[in-house]
């Protein structure tokens, strides 16, 4: 049920009055039209219109509103850019949204310490640009960079296309400030790189999807900016050959491998022939396609990549390949991989799985998934694309749009995953959509410990109710 | 009080009988002579002889003995190689020691996934050697490698000389198995690199010094093995020049900087002229000394380092320098930095501080520390050496050996640290020795959250009592 009326329950109305007093007229939306825009994220799940949208402008205000919400036992949905794909920012019934949109901006870039301090609501792209202006680089990068916020990327431990080189968001966060459910501010915003003085509390807030606290500010670790890189596209007989390439590339380039992205023929053919792209950078049919980007160590990187190319070709590892000779060519090669966004529109009703397994097991897992799906009449199409270097496949499975078909396909894929020591979500997060499947990849003991931590840190369960834990509706 | 008698308290005796039944004759030491060897670590703190030494041989046995200790409310001190420097493995009164020494061995090396799975009791060096045998590398490295165990390095988030390149222990652990105080086994030993399926529970056990669980097994992330590197020693006017070198080195070599170690003149002069080393690799008096090791990307690394050298020399950044031309010369240069072990013997009574601050603030912090110590008659000598690239200084302060002198010096240095957003321990850990100073670098809100987590996960406080939390004696 959606409470969009002007007059919410009297208890809620009392709380909203208190919240409005703290936040002032700019700091809260109570009109139905304003509130409706904050109901959902990009997951496809339709959220309820929140009772109010809280727009605090400082950590102090976040602290005060959470204390009020605790006292009234009101669910709070933390929101950044609402670009999430798992429903983690969709509002359940009778909850308020806490948007970080007014806590935006880069506070400081420290060139010597190579750090950047920013408010949680700062868009990822603004952080990347501020780093770049100091000739440095913030390496976390995802397609939604223009809208996704730093707070959101921290809360979801965002991954993306450069995980192989610099990890997900977790290792790139040096300091963090977060507010707990009761309003306590846990702040550690120094630039100390090595710190074994007690528990590393920031780890609790990174990747816990707003269920343990609301991130307000962060100190990020920047890297040197290396503008040059070389890019190649390989056509291979199968995923096993891609692993041979990966081992060889690691041996030769080590941590200079910037991206190592794989496309299965189902994805390649669909993108090259059935989307607006309508062009294939390589002719013929192959068993696997690999996009490899290598950071330049010197001016010889293209030559290095060519030598690597020649080596592997002589060994018969790949069947065809092309090396980008210009920025335009690099963009063209990347566009095939990045067309996954267009696929979302053109592929019809589908589930976008985000499976993580050991990189060496990814090919076998995908083969097993194909076999399982072939037995299911509900699965009318499959596309596979992913981060081969770190064992993460986005498996898109088309169906007729019915809940029954969705249910059967999810049960089949997540059922398969049980035997692979993998993750029901590698990078998109559990949110509200995958909470029911969490037990397929975490043990009862792990789930009990997670629940214990949640109970300890948010005893009333006000923070992002029904995210991660299905039954935490207040 | 030390309970070394054959007949402990009857309650304890009953518990020991139960423990002996689970562990069998090989799995428990109850004789005073055997037990005494497990009282202390290398911190200088003298522990009590434990009531019994438990030597479980499996995760199942760890689970059963912790359940028994919980039931009887007996303190348990987890022990690896007892090489810690903060008293984290020293036994308090009436506690049992749980040694991982019978849970030793590398279980598997997976070349394709670049992972190594090992029991907690495996010595670090054995892990390094097993990785090397597969032409791979486990990059965590500390002086105590031959004795320190993987479980101990994980529990203390060990640092060392290669943190700049591959981080401390934390980012090198992929999977973990730990046993909670009540005997629950929390196991996640897959090789999945990307995993956002719920809380990243392993982060709780890494660096929490055995206060939240006992690590039994781990999956470690290996790196490619790069045998070649180039090493240079620079003499500079001051620490500020070392930061100029650091920025320049980062720009040129990026993540290929393997070590960036600094020595202040007090340390340099003491080591070169007052220890067995008795030789200085560079003549003259300088304001700062820097040891820089660069991983080879190609055969030209020495030439690259020479060019880097020439650049900085022209810019007047350094005063003198030497490039190692052979393995023997590399060893000779490293020996000055590694003589910190000999200093421990030759420098008399001293406190070994392990301060962490922002790398860009390290020089100023050390200057401030010198000023503070100059005012203290108790401080009769100071040596400063550390990991300049990651803001960690080991500050050795000599005194007359009295508790009063120690107290005054600690109060002065940790008091100074309050204003620097730093860490009372960067890598050695808090243990029992630094627990009283934790409030000098963590806020009351942080300490309250730490205590909440401890209470949630170990409600009876049996795991490593008095470590981190001074008042958690059972």
């Amino acid at each position: 049920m959606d409470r969009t009326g002007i007059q919410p329950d009297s208890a809620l109305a009392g709380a909203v009055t208190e919240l409005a007093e703290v936040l002032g007229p700019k700091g809260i939306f109570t009109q139905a039209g304003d509130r409706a825009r904050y109901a959902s994220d990009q997951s496809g799940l339709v959220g309820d219109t929140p009772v109010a949208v809280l727009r605090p402008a400082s950590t102090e205000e976040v602290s005060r509103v959470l204390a009020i919400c605790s006292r009234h036992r009101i669910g709070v949905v933390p929101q950044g850019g609402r670009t999430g794909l798992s429903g983690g920012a969709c509002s359940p019934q009778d909850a308020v949204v806490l948007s970080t949109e007014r806590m935006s901006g880069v506070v400081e870039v420290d060139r010597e310490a190579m750090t950047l301090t920013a408010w949680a609501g700062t868009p990822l792209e603004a952080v990347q640009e501020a780093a770049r202006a100091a000739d440095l680089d913030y390496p976390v990068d995802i397609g939604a960079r223009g809208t996704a916020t730093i707070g959101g990327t921290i809360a979801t431990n965002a991954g993306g296309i450069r995980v192989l080189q610099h990890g997900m968001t977790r290792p790139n966060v040096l300091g963090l400030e977060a507010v707990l459910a009761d309003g306590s501010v846990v702040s550690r915003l120094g630039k100390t790189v090595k710190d074994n003085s007690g528990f590393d509390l920031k780890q609790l807030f990174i990747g816990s999807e707003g269920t343990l606290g609301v991130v307000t500010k962060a100190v990020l670790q920047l890297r040197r900016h290396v503008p040059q890189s070389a890019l190649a596209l390989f056509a291979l007989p199968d995923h096993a050959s891609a692993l041979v390439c990966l081992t060889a590339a690691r041996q030769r380039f080590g941590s200079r491998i910037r991206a190592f992205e794989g496309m299965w023929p189902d994805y390649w053919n669909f993108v090259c022939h059935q989307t607006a792209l309508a062009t294939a950078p390589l002719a013929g049919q192959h068993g696997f396609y690999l996009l490899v980007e290598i950071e330049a160590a010197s001016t010889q990187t293209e030559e290095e990549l060519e030598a690597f190319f020649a080596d592997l070709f002589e060994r018969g590892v790949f069947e065809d390949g092309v090396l980008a000779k210009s920025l335009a060519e690099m963009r063209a090669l990347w566009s095939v991989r990045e067309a996954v966004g267009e696929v979302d529109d053109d592929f019809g009703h589908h589930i976008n799985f985000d499976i993580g397994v050991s990189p060496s097991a990814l090919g076998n897992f995908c083969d097993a998934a194909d076999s399982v799906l072939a037995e299911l009449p509900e699965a009318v199409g499959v596309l596979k694309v992913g981060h081969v270097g770190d064992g993460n496949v986005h498996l898109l499975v088309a169906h007729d749009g019915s809940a029954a078909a969705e249910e059967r396909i999810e049960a089949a894929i997540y059922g398969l995953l049980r035997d692979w020591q993998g993750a029901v979500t590698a990078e998109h997060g559990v949110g509200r959509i995958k909470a029911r499947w969490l037990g397929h990849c975490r043990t009862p003991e792990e789930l009990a410990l997670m629940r214990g931590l949640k109970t300890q840190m948010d005893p009333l369960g006000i923070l992002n109710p029904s995210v991660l834990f299905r039954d935490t509706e207040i």
Side-chain angles (χ1 to χ4, degrees), chain A:
Chain A
M1 205 195 84
D2 178 8
R3 297 172 182 276
T4 46
I6 296 163
Q7 196 62 28
D9 281 354
S10 61
L12 285 173
V16 170
T17 305
E18 276 185 60
L19 292 164
E21 274 166 22
V22 167
L23 295 169
K26 274 192 187 166
I28 189 165
F29 288 151
T30 54
Q31 298 301 314
D34 292 329
R35 290 183 282 129
R37 289 185 284 121
Y38 295 77
S40 307
D41 55 24
Q42 286 176 15
S43 61
L45 186 71
V46 179
D48 272 17
T49 296
V51 174
V53 178
L54 316 182
R55 304 166 70 239
S58 66
T59 304
E60 165 68 16
E61 286 187 1
V62 174
S63 166
R64 291 176 68 193
V65 301
L66 286 181
I68 293 171
C69 291
S70 268
R71 191 150 34 77
H72 290 277
R73 215 170 166 148
I74 298 172
V76 179
V77 179
Q79 278 186 1
R82 293 192 300 281
T83 58
L85 299 173
S86 303
C90 287
S91 180
Q93 216 184 341
D94 293 337
V96 297
V97 154
L98 190 163
S99 169
T100 57
E101 62 196 357
R102 286 177 74 219
M103 297 194 292
S104 180
V106 172
V107 177
E108 186 209 47
V109 179
D110 183 334
R111 279 165 183 262
E112 231 168 33
M114 294 176 74
T115 61
L116 182 150
T117 306
W119 286 98
T122 316
L124 172 58
E125 197 166 46
V127 164
Q128 291 171 337
E129 282 167 4
R132 201 65 59 84
D135 202 28
L136 293 167
D137 187 30
Y138 181 61
V140 174
D141 195 22
I142 56 176
R145 63 185 75 83
T147 314
T149 62
I150 280 299
T153 57
I154 290 171
T156 58
N157 188 29
I161 54 171
R162 291 181 63 189
V163 170
L164 201 61
Q165 191 172 31
H166 293 295
M168 299 178 75
T169 299
R170 191 179 296 277
N172 296 295
V173 178
L174 201 55
L176 204 64
E177 179 177 82
V179 184
L180 304 185
D182 67 1
S184 314
V185 179
V186 178
S187 185
R188 193 155 186 81
L189 290 169
K191 299 166 192 166
T192 302
V193 180
K194 277 169 88 172
D195 184 354
N196 272 343
S197 62
F199 302 164
D200 189 0
L201 298 173
K202 67 174 178 287
Q203 305 296 347
L204 288 164
F205 304 107
I206 301 171
S208 57
E209 306 185 34
T211 61
L212 299 180
V214 178
V215 173
T216 49
K217 218 184 254 183
V219 182
L220 307 170
Q221 179 69 66
L222 304 180
R223 316 281 167 169
R224 72 163 177 169
H225 175 52
V226 180
Q228 288 83 21
S229 64
L231 183 71
L233 178 70
F234 295 78
L236 307 145
D238 48 30
H239 177 271
S241 309
L243 285 186
V244 175
C245 279
L246 180 61
T247 302
R250 278 191 160 132
Q251 201 54 41
R252 195 182 275 249
F253 302 111
S255 58
R256 289 169 51 212
I257 306 175
R258 192 172 271 181
F260 205 89
E261 301 284 303
M263 293 164 275
W264 277 257
D266 46 24
Y267 174 85
W268 174 273
N269 291 329
F270 186 88
V271 165
C272 293
H273 304 300
Q274 294 182 54
T275 68
L277 198 75
T279 170
L282 280 176
Q285 286 297 314
H286 304 279
F288 201 80
Y289 300 86
L290 205 52
L291 202 59
V292 181
E293 186 166 343
I294 306 295
E295 185 177 279
S298 65
T299 46
Q300 286 104 42
T301 304
E302 258 179 49
E303 286 85 339
E304 280 184 281
L305 198 54
E306 260 171 27
F308 174 65
F309 228 64
D311 258 24
L312 289 178
F313 193 69
E314 270 172 35
R315 285 164 58 192
V317 176
F318 74 95
E319 301 170 336
D320 199 359
V322 57
L323 195 67
K325 290 289 182 189
S326 67
L327 212 58
E329 283 184 29
M330 284 184 81
R331 281 207 197 101
L333 293 189
W334 264 113
S335 68
V336 188
R337 169 64 184 85
E338 288 185 334
V340 68
E342 295 174 52
V343 167
D344 260 344
D345 300 330
D346 298 343
F347 195 49
H349 291 289
H350 65 273
I351 308 169
N352 184 353
F353 290 99
D354 168 40
I355 303 292
V357 293
S358 165
S360 55
L362 190 66
N364 290 340
F365 175 82
C366 286
D367 290 347
D370 277 339
S371 300
V372 161
L373 292 170
E375 300 293 312
L376 274 186
E378 291 87 349
V380 296
V382 182
L383 307 181
K384 299 185 294 295
V385 57
H387 315 287
V388 166
D390 36 48
N392 178 195
V393 64
H394 298 302
L395 186 76
L396 282 70
V397 184
H399 56 83
D400 63 10
S402 70
E406 204 168 288
E407 166 79 26
R408 291 254 298 168
I409 294 167
E410 288 188 346
I413 293 296
Y414 293 130
L416 177 68
L417 189 67
R418 273 188 184 275
D419 302 325
W420 291 75
Q421 291 190 290
V424 296
T425 174
E427 59 179 8
H428 293 168
V430 174
R432 290 179 171 82
I433 289 179
K434 291 172 200 147
R436 58 184 299 218
W437 301 109
L438 200 50
H440 278 61
C441 70
R442 305 298 295 258
T443 65
E445 290 81 5
E446 287 183 287
L447 295 172
L449 178 51
M450 285 186 214
R451 193 168 293 273
L453 295 169
K454 170 72 174 173
T455 305
Q456 172 64 33
M457 292 179 64
D458 178 19
L460 303 171
I462 67 160
L463 288 176
N464 229 358
S466 69
V467 163
L468 276 177
F469 309 97
R470 291 181 75 196
D471 53 350
T472 51
E473 285 281 10
I474 300 180

